Amino acid sequence: MSDVTLDAIVGWIDEDAGSAWGHRHAMLAQDYDDDYGDANQEGFVGFGIAQTTNAGVAWKTVVVVNFTNPVADAQAGACGYNITVSTNSLTNPPCNTPPTINSVTATQPPDCNNQTGSITVNATGAGTLEFTVNGNVWQVGNTFTNLAPGNYNAAVRLQATPNCLTNYNQNPVVLNAPMGCNGNCMDYVATGLPIPIPDNTPAGVTSTVNVQTAGTITDVNIKNLTGNHTYIGALVFTLQSPQGTVLTLINNACNANGGIDFNLGLDDQAANPITCPYNTGNTEQPQNALSAFNGQNPLGTWTLTVADNDAFNDAGMLNTWTLEICTQGAMAQGYTCATAVEITQPGTFNAPGPSQGNGAIAGSGFTHANWYRFTPPMTGMIRIFTCGLAGAGNQHNHVYTVNTASCAALNLNDVIYTEDRGCTQNQADGVKLENVPVTAGVPIYIEWDDALSNTPFTWTLEYQAGGGGCMDYVAGDVPTNILDQATITSTINVPTGGTIAGVNITNLKGTHAFLGDLTFTLMSPMGTSVVLIQNECGGDASGFDISLNDGAAGALDCPLSDVATERPENLLSAFNGQNPMGNWILMVNDNGAGDVGVLRGWTLEICTGGGGNCPPNLPVNDNPIAAGTFQAGTQLTSAGSVGVGNNVIFRAGNNVELQPNFTVPLTSIFEARIEGCQ
């Protein structure tokens, strides 16, 4: 027992012995020698010991003595006492040498399957140390595991002197959520717009976006839903998921409103339901909750349908819309080679931007990447391009490489092709890769890395079985005058055949005093006509200098003289599958009085499955072999089988070798020619 405690007890006994009450007293005292308590408080006494000095710091100790009287009256015989003594500091003892935190190590949550991390606090100090990362739980061990993503405050203290505490000077320690988990959202911008909304057509007009990443949907929203209609009360907007769920978003809302634009976003969490007119750009609640899609897999084609179901001779245009998908799960897919997004069909894709994953090829000098994989069903050619990327001069925003090695040991030696600048052969506002040979069944890996930017973008993959490629054909009959209220034509002859995989217009240039008078139409040798530009930009007199590509990032926009690559009003893919051989005619019609101009030039780009590409040697072992012309500069070999009903031509400069398994079924036509490439 301490001297302080003994001093308190002896003092109490002395005071009690001198009492005239004849039995023990209970008292609560600041000092042990005064402030007696009432007699009926038998059983407890507390002593307060006055100030004591320890290492120059003043502090106090309370001594508490509990007496239990076994009989009711202290004057009775055989009176005994049980004594319990405890002491407690009222103020903390001094902290002369606090512990030191040398470092803090944070282990981040690794992936969506393990979304917890750990923190280790490395410290030194005199005696046993205790650690915390939340200020509540203290432990002797310096590592904290199974921590959820969030901010943590690390600290260490001396166990014997808890007020001897040191906080980490770089708090908070942050554990980040893994990329691609719990509410990661991605925007998918619809392409191929604007498109007309026909009158009194319950089936409506459809626009699709292709989602290339899997996961479990937690939220779906619609952004930038814009267009116009002469009576928006007649419109019904529905959205269909890849799993077939159809949701009505807007159903004949705003019947009192006539011909106005529509411009809004749709979000279940918006503050207000749809208000009329819905042309303010606000985000509002759809008439049916988009949460109907929650829990589904977003991978695949989403379809927006806009229908006019009233026969009031009204019409309009769907101009833009964007699908926002938020998922929990594998949204990190595509940021590394091992998680490359599988492309099952060529087309135009929305890339999230190479901003995550640290998946760029080792030694490339870049960090992040978007990865895609395509396995061609037949030997042939691919073409890759993206247009409309902002850049200075001839710089490009994204770089891609095509690889045929496995992901296990991928390095720069596996890169077989790298990009060229420009989305077409004469444009510098994107990147392209032309005439890449691919082999049936052998996957290729396409990587876009963060050369200059990591923002989302749109890119296109074109594929053609056989010896296809892309060729530019420049008009030779221009310049030619655009006559007032008349139609003029310019013709390009394509001398080689094949099967069209893509058509683009580049360097469409000229002048006119009133652009809104003009309609540009392209007609193929098979008689298919596509209206490219129709009565755009009103009285603009700045002329036109534009390229047209279905895969361009933006729709037609005024002025037409800004040397941009934009989407035509109607898709050039209408020519896909045709034979390009023959005359292509560009028609320019002036349908307003009083203005004239000049068509100065245009270039037709044709990508086909024959013609336009001439490798020295070409194996064609597909089964079936697609219709078209396959050609090689020296030798062409084949062990494949011509498709039923297909017309196939093999052309090579020195030798066409038909190997034992080569077959031509009934109803098919096959020719072999020893002649140079055309």
Side-chain angles (χ1 to χ4, degrees), residues 349-499:
F349 306 96
N350 293 291
S355 60
Q356 305 174 21
N358 299 320
I361 295 177
S364 65
F366 305 112
T367 303
H368 307 304
N370 291 154
W371 286 86
Y372 298 84
R373 185 175 73 172
F374 174 62
T375 303
M378 294 180 286
T379 297
M381 295 283 177
I382 63 169
R383 176 176 182 259
I384 305 167
F385 63 91
T386 181
C387 298
L389 297 174
N394 286 331
Q395 292 179 328
H396 47 79
N397 289 64
H398 305 272
V399 175
Y400 55 80
T401 50
V402 179
N403 312 272
T404 55
S406 68
C407 293
L410 199 62
N411 58 56
L412 285 177
N413 293 329
D414 299 310
V415 176
I416 57 173
Y417 285 87
T418 57
E419 93 293 339
D420 190 13
R421 294 185 179 92
C423 66
T424 60
Q425 289 187 352
N426 297 293
Q427 293 294 313
D429 58 350
V431 293
K432 68 179 184 298
L433 188 61
E434 310 265 26
N435 302 335
V436 178
V438 292
T439 303
V442 178
I444 60 168
Y445 292 86
I446 302 166
E447 179 213 22
W448 298 82
D449 59 43
D450 53 348
L452 294 178
S453 175
N454 57 20
T455 56
F457 65 102
T458 299
W459 68 281
T460 299
L461 168 68
E462 294 177 351
Y463 159 71
Q464 179 61 52
C470 300
M471 287 289 291
D472 282 356
Y473 301 91
V474 181
D477 58 357
V478 287
T480 185
N481 291 328
I482 301 173
L483 305 178
D484 189 33
Q485 292 186 292
T487 299
I488 62 105
T489 63
S490 174
T491 301
I492 290 176
N493 181 264
V494 176
T496 57
T499 302

Side-chain angles (χ1 to χ4, degrees), residues 101 103-108 118-121 132-133 147-155 168-176:
I101 296 179
S103 65
V104 173
T105 302
T107 301
Q108 300 293 333
S118 64
I119 295 174
T120 299
V121 183
T132 188
V133 291
L147 299 176
N151 293 347
Y152 293 88
N153 293 310
Y168 184 42
N169 62 6
Q170 296 183 39
N171 281 333
V173 181
V174 180
L175 294 182
N176 297 306

Side-chain angles (χ1 to χ4, degrees), residues 435-675:
N435 302 335
V436 178
V438 292
T439 303
V442 178
I444 60 168
Y445 292 86
I446 302 166
E447 179 213 22
W448 298 82
D449 59 43
D450 53 348
L452 294 178
S453 175
N454 57 20
T455 56
F457 65 102
T458 299
W459 68 281
T460 299
L461 168 68
E462 294 177 351
Y463 159 71
Q464 179 61 52
C470 300
M471 287 289 291
D472 282 356
Y473 301 91
V474 181
D477 58 357
V478 287
T480 185
N481 291 328
I482 301 173
L483 305 178
D484 189 33
Q485 292 186 292
T487 299
I488 62 105
T489 63
S490 174
T491 301
I492 290 176
N493 181 264
V494 176
T496 57
T499 302
I500 293 175
V503 174
N504 302 303
I505 301 294
T506 62
N507 298 317
L508 178 58
K509 299 181 179 181
T511 61
H512 197 270
F514 197 96
L515 285 180
D517 289 350
L518 300 183
T519 298
F520 296 77
T521 304
L522 180 65
M523 184 170 68
S524 72
M526 297 182 67
T528 301
S529 294
V530 172
V531 176
L532 307 175
I533 303 171
Q534 185 172 23
N535 305 128
E536 295 286 340
C537 305
D540 187 350
S542 63
F544 50 94
D545 187 349
I546 191 172
S547 295
L548 301 173
N549 188 309
D550 289 352
L556 278 173
D557 193 20
C558 298
L560 300 181
S561 58
D562 55 0
V563 199
T565 298
E566 298 173 346
R567 296 191 300 272
E569 289 191 23
N570 296 282
L571 295 179
L572 289 156
S573 60
F575 301 120
N576 287 3
Q578 297 184 13
N579 188 333
M581 184 180 294
N583 288 331
W584 290 76
I585 301 173
L586 178 68
M587 295 169 279
V588 184
N589 171 255
D590 181 323
N591 54 21
D595 299 291
V596 295
V598 177
L599 173 63
R600 297 198 178 280
W602 68 289
T603 297
L604 176 69
E605 183 183 45
I606 299 285
C607 301
T608 70
N613 179 71
C614 190
N617 300 291
L618 179 66
V620 182
N621 298 317
D622 306 321
N623 189 3
I625 299 172
T629 299
F630 300 77
Q631 59 182 7
T634 303
Q635 175 173 283
L636 188 152
T637 62
S638 179
S641 178
V642 174
V644 175
N646 287 349
N647 187 346
V648 174
I649 298 173
F650 285 175
R651 177 189 293 125
N654 295 336
N655 182 39
V656 174
E657 180 181 330
L658 303 180
Q659 297 174 343
N661 292 329
F662 178 81
T663 58
V664 180
L666 293 174
T667 73
S668 299
I669 300 175
F670 170 72
E671 295 181 54
R673 303 176 183 175
I674 304 300
E675 59 186 17

Side-chain angles (χ1 to χ4, degrees), residues 100-147:
T100 300
I101 296 179
N102 301 312
S103 65
V104 173
T105 302
T107 301
Q108 300 293 333
D111 53 43
C112 295
N113 296 320
N114 183 5
Q115 298 186 44
T116 62
S118 64
I119 295 174
T120 299
V121 183
N122 301 301
T124 55
T128 302
L129 302 181
E130 291 182 332
F131 303 86
T132 188
V133 291
N134 60 14
N136 296 321
V137 177
W138 290 85
Q139 65 183 44
V140 174
N142 68 332
T143 297
F144 296 81
T145 59
N146 299 319
L147 299 176

Side-chain angles (χ1 to χ4, degrees), residues 22-44:
H23 61 82
R24 67 178 178 84
H25 292 67
M27 57 185 176
L28 297 173
Q30 294 299 319
D31 297 309
Y32 60 83
D33 57 354
D34 58 13
D35 295 335
Y36 295 95
D38 295 333
N40 61 4
Q41 292 178 335
E42 290 184 327
F44 173 80

